[in-house]
């Protein structure tokens, strides 16, 4: 005799609208970005691949737009198993997993191609493996372009213009020290508080890539953007180790593969989105400084490297990254 649950499940399985309810395993995924942002679309795409390959057994439910909280909090919830999948910047991991610092050092990557070379290779895997010591499973990396400063006050045309200006940074000491080294004052804040903090003058500005500057609407309150490109910070997709341990090895394998395959998809979306966002921001009348001399910015980073590259392991990672063509 069929149980009530089995009957109900069979019924909903036939109703297209209730498809999600037929899933045996639903993985709750978090992202700070809105619907349509490349990271959100990539995890949704991964979910579709998983559902198809598991004959409808495994589904991903996306909670975008920081519905489950700001990144620092969602990381904790993922460690606790409350959130299954989390797409986050590597920045907020700096204070939890020391090795992630090397991927968030200013000007460590010379270009997006250089970053791809590293995260797609041995070093990328070594850093992903580190997550397993912190109740997480590192699945794959996504792109995040390069981050540059924007503010509400004036065009920054040289490093000297940064003196005394207040910038929001992600919650990591690496970025606090980066802004200090440039002569500014850093305020670590959650992403969701940046807009109102600029608007009310608590900070003068922040720093981010084109798509985030665009989708957050920060350009409305900070109409000066200077392409100093101080950071290329990869994004990472992690899973809760608790959720992971509840799965069969076959399902773990399905997830690893779908996650890996979502990366080239994400990168394509990213390239298109970067261009669209740049066009939208230019059209909105934001003043953009492109011909900034980056060398003084690069030269100023010595103390940041000295303070954060404190062990032989970290130094060897930095050396290997810098030695990679
Ligand atoms: C974005 C990144 C987010 C978040 C945000 C921030 O570029 O995609 O994950 O880290 O920056 O500045 O907090």
């Amino acid at each position: 005799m069929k149980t009530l649950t089995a009957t109900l499940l069979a019924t909903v399985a036939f109703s297209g609208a209730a498809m999600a309810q037929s899933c045996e395993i639903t993985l709750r995924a978090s992202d700070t970005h809105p619907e349509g942002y490349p990271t959100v679309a990539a995890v949704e795409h991964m979910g579709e691949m998983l559902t198809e390959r598991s004959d409808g057994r495994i589904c991903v439910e996306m909670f975008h737009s920081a519905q489950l909280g700001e990144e620092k909090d969602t990381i904790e919830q993922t460690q606790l198993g409350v959130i299954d999948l989390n797409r986050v910047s590597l920045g907020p991991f700096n204070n939890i997993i020391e090795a992630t610092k090397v991927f968030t050092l200013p000007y460590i990557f010379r270009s997006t191609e250089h970053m791809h070379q590293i995260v797609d290779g041995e070093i990328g895997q070594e850093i992903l493996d580190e997550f397993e010591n912190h109740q997480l499973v590192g699945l794959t990396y996504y792109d995040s372009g390069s981050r540059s400063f924007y503010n509400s006050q004036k065009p920054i045309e040289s490093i000297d213009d940064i003196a005394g200006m207040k910038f929001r940074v992600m919650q990591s000491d690496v970025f606090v020290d980066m802004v200090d080294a440039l002569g500014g004052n850093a305020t670590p804040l959650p992403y969701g508080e940046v807009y109102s903090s600029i608007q009310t003058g608590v900070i003068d500005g922040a720093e981010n890539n084109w798509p985030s500057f665009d989708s957050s609407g920060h350009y409305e309150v900070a109409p000066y953007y200077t392409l100093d490109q101080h950071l290329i910070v990869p994004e990472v997709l992690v899973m809760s180790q608790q959720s992971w341990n509840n799965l069969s090895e076959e399902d773990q394998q399905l997830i690893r593969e779908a996650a890996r395959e979502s990366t080239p998809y994400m990168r394509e979306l990213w390239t298109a989105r970067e261009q669209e966002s740049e066009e939208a921001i230019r059209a909105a009348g934001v003043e953009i400084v492109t011909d900034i001399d980056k060398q003084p910015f690069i030269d100023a980073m010595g103390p940041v490297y000295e303070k954060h590259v404190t062990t032989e392991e970290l130094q060897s990672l930095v050396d290997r990254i810098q030695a990679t063509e």
Side-chain angles (χ1 to χ4, degrees):
M1 201 184 105
K2 266 190 188 168
T3 63
L4 178 62
T5 323
T7 312
L8 279 176
L9 277 179
T11 313
V12 292
F14 282 102
S15 131
M19 194 56 188
Q21 291 173 48
S22 72
C23 306
E24 283 168 27
I25 301 167
T26 298
L27 304 173
R28 285 156 54 88
S30 172
D31 198 309
T32 196
H33 291 300
E35 182 91 79
Y37 197 92
T39 50
V40 173
V43 174
E44 284 171 347
H45 177 64
M46 170 190 163
E48 284 157 19
M49 287 192 274
L50 270 176
T51 307
E52 194 187 313
R53 293 173 189 179
S54 65
D55 294 323
R57 277 187 311 106
I58 310 178
C59 302
V60 169
E61 190 178 358
M62 168 54 73
F63 293 87
H64 52 76
S65 313
Q67 289 172 70
L68 302 181
E70 296 285 354
E71 290 192 345
K72 198 164 162 277
D73 303 324
T74 61
I75 290 172
E76 280 171 26
Q77 291 185 50
T78 311
Q79 288 174 309
L80 294 171
V82 179
I83 294 173
D84 304 304
L85 287 168
N86 202 354
R87 194 296 309 162
V88 242
S89 168
L90 274 180
F93 280 110
N94 286 171
N95 296 344
I96 308 171
I97 308 173
E98 199 174 41
T100 62
K101 279 187 181 179
V102 296
F103 283 179
T104 68
L105 289 166
Y107 298 108
I108 184 85
F109 297 118
R110 293 184 295 274
S111 62
T112 298
E113 293 69 34
H114 183 217
M115 184 271 283
H116 286 170
Q117 196 67 19
I118 299 296
V119 300
D120 294 346
E122 248 174 53
I123 303 180
Q125 189 55 51
E126 286 168 34
I127 304 287
L128 283 184
D129 291 344
E130 289 282 330
F131 285 84
E132 309 207 353
N133 302 322
H134 300 271
Q135 299 131 279
L136 297 166
V137 179
L139 292 175
T140 197
Y141 294 102
Y142 290 149
D143 276 19
S144 194
S146 55
R147 300 174 73 105
S148 291
F149 289 106
Y150 49 79
N151 78 91
S152 62
Q153 302 297 310
K154 61 180 187 204
I156 294 172
E157 278 157 355
S158 82
I159 189 171
D160 300 335
D161 291 330
I162 292 184
M165 290 184 82
K166 244 184 162 181
F167 288 99
R168 173 272 176 172
V169 290
M170 284 187 273
Q171 288 154 297
S172 153
D173 297 342
V174 174
F175 308 133
V176 172
D177 295 328
M178 172 187 78
V179 171
D180 283 353
L182 294 170
N185 298 315
T187 308
L189 282 176
Y191 190 49
E193 289 176 28
V194 178
Y195 190 106
S196 63
S197 301
I198 298 176
Q199 200 174 32
T200 56
V202 172
I203 49 174
D204 296 312
E207 43 85 57
N208 224 313
N209 52 49
W210 289 107
S212 292
F213 188 32
D214 174 24
S215 67
S216 61
H218 293 172
Y219 67 90
E220 295 162 4
V221 288
Y224 302 102
Y225 194 33
T226 293
L227 302 182
D228 63 286
Q229 302 179 315
H230 51 267
L231 286 170
I232 294 178
V233 180
E235 317 259 42
V236 69
L237 177 66
V238 298
M239 184 152 172
S240 164
Q241 217 167 70
Q242 286 203 27
S243 320
W244 184 257
N245 291 340
N246 289 335
L247 299 173
S248 67
E249 261 176 48
E250 291 72 32
D251 287 349
Q252 291 175 347
Q253 192 54 25
L254 280 182
I255 291 173
R256 269 200 203 284
E257 283 167 11
R260 222 173 288 135
E261 287 172 39
S262 70
T263 292
Y265 176 83
M266 189 280 169
R267 286 180 183 165
E268 253 178 59
L269 296 180
W270 181 261
T271 309
R273 179 59 185 258
E274 239 182 355
Q275 209 179 327
E276 274 168 35
S277 290
E278 174 171 351
E279 282 164 16
I281 287 167
R282 285 184 188 278
V286 170
E287 191 171 333
I288 296 150
V289 178
T290 43
D291 57 345
I292 178 104
D293 181 7
K294 287 186 207 161
Q295 200 54 47
F297 286 72
I298 298 171
D299 295 343
M301 290 307 135
V304 182
Y305 279 63
E306 256 165 54
K307 185 167 167 195
H308 293 281
V309 185
T310 46
T311 63
E312 268 174 39
E313 288 77 16
L314 293 177
Q315 186 59 55
S316 134
L317 284 168
V318 168
D319 293 345
R320 285 163 69 201
I321 295 172
Q322 287 176 336
T324 301
E325 292 295 311

